Amino acid sequence: MEVLIMAILAIGLYVFAKVILKEPILPWKEKNTQLTGISLKRKKGKKHVAVTAGEEEPDPFREMFKDIKEINSHMVRFNNNKFVMIAEVEPVNYFLLSQDEQEGIDITFETWLAQINYPVQFYLQNRYIDLSEPIEMMRDTMKSQEDLNLNALEYGQTLIEDLTKWQAVTPRYETRRYLVFYTTINPSEIKADDQEELEEKVLDKAFQELYRRLNTAKNALRKADIDVQMLTNEGIGEVLYYAFNRRKAVKNKFKDTNLQEQLALYVTADQNLERIEMVKEMIERESNRESKEAEKEQAS
């Protein structure tokens, strides 16, 4: 009787474990074939039908910015004439301030929120703390100082080695804070003689409206010692770079892309202004020639 009870308990535990592990209860049955990421072929008469169970992971940049048009005039422009301006905020150390100073900051922030009638987004971004520049400055300082004694030189070299190892073994991250302002411009409300003038007026109107909102935040938060600075085209590109390359940015730094001319339309050596203007004229003539040929083909 005891053996029977023990056998029943063992069977119950076995079934319970298989259910938890999502495995087949009967050991001679195979598991369901996992099709994720595997392309199978099966015969159907004389035809081969490809069965793809897994789907490709979507590109996050295309999914989030599939309707983006350009980054121009320190703004992100979308296809529906929506414009976005980003400002970086330098915060204060709130918790080291006194009670009266904290209340003053709260009142300033609440006053700014109460006087605006348009949406503002807050964006926080964690970035890897890069110590390469301070380390390089320390190394250059040591090389330039000729009156350093041996002990100071050894201490500096040891400090540089320790900082380099510490950064590689224990990466640290800092939080960057941004304010995002956006507006949509309706081109039908703007009077212009041609398309080029309309384009300029749309950009000008969007910039004036967003810059006014940014200045309102800057002037209001200045009373709380909170600095607000508009991001340029390069600054916006840097924010996007760190947003979509958080791990790669540890080694592939954004500043290196600029130094290596990866942000330039044409990678060339230093040229004088006359040669640059000549190349621009040649490009413009070539573009006009191609457009005329395209018009002739359409006419024929």
Side-chain angles (χ1 to χ4, degrees), residues 30-81:
E30 297 181 355
K31 291 183 180 180
N32 293 330
T33 305
Q34 297 181 355
L35 298 178
T36 306
I38 301 175
S39 179
L40 303 178
K41 288 185 178 181
R42 62 184 179 186
K43 291 183 178 181
K44 187 176 180 182
K46 296 182 179 180
K47 298 180 180 179
H48 294 280
V49 181
V51 180
T52 305
E55 296 182 355
E56 293 184 359
E57 184 178 356
D59 187 352
F61 186 85
R62 291 183 179 178
E63 288 297 322
M64 296 182 66
F65 297 99
K66 56 186 177 182
D67 57 342
I68 192 172
K69 184 176 181 180
E70 61 179 351
I71 298 177
N72 191 7
S73 301
H74 315 311
M75 298 179 296
V76 182
R77 184 178 183 179
F78 294 82
N79 291 326
N80 58 349
N81 286 317

Side-chain angles (χ1 to χ4, degrees), residues 238-292:
E238 183 178 5
V239 171
L240 296 177
Y241 179 82
Y242 279 97
F244 295 101
N245 300 278
R246 190 168 181 267
R247 294 184 178 180
K248 294 180 180 179
V250 175
K251 294 183 178 180
N252 304 325
K253 303 177 181 62
F254 179 79
K255 64 177 182 179
D256 295 336
T257 61
N258 193 11
L259 293 175
Q260 297 173 6
E261 298 185 356
Q262 295 179 2
L263 300 178
L265 293 177
Y266 305 98
V267 182
T268 60
D270 294 336
Q271 302 290 342
N272 54 33
L273 293 177
E274 295 180 356
R275 185 173 181 83
I276 293 175
E277 292 297 329
M278 183 181 65
V279 173
K280 287 183 178 180
E281 291 178 359
M282 293 175 61
I283 294 174
E284 186 176 357
R285 287 200 300 267
E286 185 67 18
S287 299
N288 294 334
R289 185 186 63 80
E290 291 180 355
S291 61
K292 290 181 180 179

Side-chain angles (χ1 to χ4, degrees), residues 128 131-132 135-136 139 157-170:
Y128 172 73
L131 298 178
S132 59
I135 291 174
E136 195 63 30
R139 186 178 286 110
Q157 292 177 349
T158 304
L159 180 61
I160 290 176
E161 292 176 0
D162 291 341
L163 286 175
T164 304
K165 292 179 181 178
W166 177 80
Q167 182 177 233
V169 175
T170 312

